[in-house]
Amino acid sequence: METEQAAEAEECAWEVDGLRFAGLAWGPEDGTPVLALHGWMDHAGSFAELAPRLTGCRVMAPDLSGQGLSGHRAAHATYNIWDDLPQLVGLLDLWDWDDCVLLGHSRGANIASLFAAALPEAVRAYVALDSLAPQPIGEDVAATLRAFVQETRFRRSRPPRLFESPGDYIRRRGDKGNAERTGEALAARALVETPHGFRMRGDPRLFASSAVKLSQAQVESVLRAIRSPVLNIWASEGTLHLRPENAGVAERGAELIEDYARLELPGDHHFHLDPATAEPMAAAILDFLDRKGVR
């Protein structure tokens, strides 16, 4: 179900490092540059309610590689959260952006934290939605590598997931805890119709484990390296509610990031797709950018 805000988006396409990227854009071309990074197995359409409410901003939301309408990575490539960084820099170069505001949701926020740490001079501010940085794991690297190899092989050989209708996809997301409006907002860009049913566009390898996951010390190093002001917005029924262990990342962010602000708003993990929450969320973000002098 397409919202009025989603209809206002501009369809875009770019090529970086031989990879085809699709995406959506909102706002005036001379507005405050905002790079919006969506969550796992979502796409640029997840910002359809929030982005048009960020008045005065030029919000550019690519479908990250392997998701939405963007191309899949080569057969030998991977989807670790740092793999997107070179292409994101390439997109900024294409857009002639020297720096930008980072806006990330979930996995997109984890990617954004790595970007902000690696290239602090390119980040005016960082707004993280229902995440902040990767959740650290233990030191069992061998087990993680084994999972990566086995799951990648399994996902490569498994037949693609098919749905009889977009409604089945929406119900499937509902079974995973997503509100109906979330599935409705994401279905069109997430699915492609085939003679056998509706197939998910996302690369199945995204379901596999990462090859390596960051340790506690590495996550703390990332947080410590972030120089921009950070606004961390959490959903009352989102990640912290479902996975309380993630509270440690937020607590470390408050300790290690020099300019860190935390806010909680009502809703589930995709609270930025709820118009009732997107409105106060946009107001909070714009106020934050104004107070920090970056808009």
Side-chain angles (χ1 to χ4, degrees):
M1 183 173 64
E2 189 177 46
T3 65
E4 180 180 350
Q5 285 78 16
E8 297 173 0
E10 302 170 30
E11 285 281 356
C12 304
W14 314 277
E15 184 170 322
V16 181
D17 296 339
L19 287 169
R20 178 180 57 81
F21 286 88
L24 299 172
W26 293 264
E29 293 191 6
D30 61 350
T32 301
V34 177
L35 172 60
L37 305 178
H38 62 79
W40 177 75
M41 296 306 288
D42 288 349
H43 49 67
S46 68
F47 294 104
E49 293 292 344
L50 176 60
R53 290 177 164 87
L54 297 177
T55 55
C57 294
R58 177 62 169 177
V59 182
M60 303 289 279
D63 295 336
L64 294 172
S65 58
Q67 296 159 93
L69 303 183
S70 288
H72 294 188
R73 291 182 177 267
H76 62 275
T78 59
Y79 287 99
N80 297 296
I81 60 172
W82 48 82
D83 289 332
D84 290 285
L85 297 182
Q87 288 80 53
L88 292 176
V89 173
L91 287 173
L92 264 60
D93 289 340
L94 283 178
W95 304 335
D96 291 325
W97 287 6
D98 294 327
D99 56 22
C100 66
V101 174
L102 289 178
L103 170 63
H105 169 245
S106 193
R107 182 177 184 269
N110 297 343
I111 293 171
S113 67
L114 301 186
F115 188 107
L119 294 170
E121 69 279 6
V123 182
R124 299 185 189 183
Y126 169 31
V127 179
L129 304 181
D130 215 38
S131 190
L132 175 63
Q135 173 68 20
I137 65 161
E139 299 296 331
D140 196 346
V141 175
T144 303
L145 286 170
R146 179 178 178 83
F148 163 68
V149 173
Q150 292 183 330
E151 292 173 17
T152 299
R153 180 173 60 181
F154 170 73
R155 292 295 174 181
R156 184 183 292 123
S157 61
R158 184 182 182 184
R161 183 188 295 274
L162 295 172
F163 300 92
E164 290 187 5
S165 69
D168 289 337
Y169 165 82
I170 294 168
R171 283 186 287 274
R172 173 66 176 174
R173 290 203 69 131
D175 292 342
K176 296 296 184 180
N178 290 168
E180 184 176 1
R181 66 171 176 273
T182 298
E184 290 177 342
L186 298 176
R189 204 173 183 89
L191 300 174
V192 59
E193 188 172 7
T194 76
H196 307 289
F198 289 83
R199 176 177 57 80
M200 291 181 62
R201 295 181 189 272
D203 193 325
R205 289 176 293 168
L206 281 156
F207 286 90
S209 170
S210 297
V212 176
K213 297 183 180 180
L214 302 184
S215 68
Q216 179 74 32
Q218 289 170 327
V219 172
E220 291 180 1
S221 176
V222 167
L223 296 172
R224 196 178 289 112
I226 295 174
R227 297 287 177 261
S228 66
V230 173
L231 175 61
N232 196 186
I233 307 179
W234 296 92
S236 62
E237 301 297 321
T239 299
L240 295 185
H241 173 73
L242 298 172
R243 299 172 184 166
E245 65 272 15
N246 285 337
V249 174
E251 292 166 1
R252 298 303 284 154
E255 295 172 7
L256 299 174
I257 298 173
E258 184 175 348
D259 191 346
Y260 174 87
R262 178 173 172 174
L263 174 67
E264 184 173 303
L265 290 175
D268 60 19
H269 184 55
H270 286 83
F271 58 159
H272 57 311
L273 266 169
D274 182 351
T277 301
E279 192 68 39
M281 182 182 293
I285 293 171
L286 293 175
D287 177 68
F288 167 74
L289 298 181
D290 287 341
R291 285 188 289 107
K292 299 305 175 182
V294 299
R295 188 169 77 103

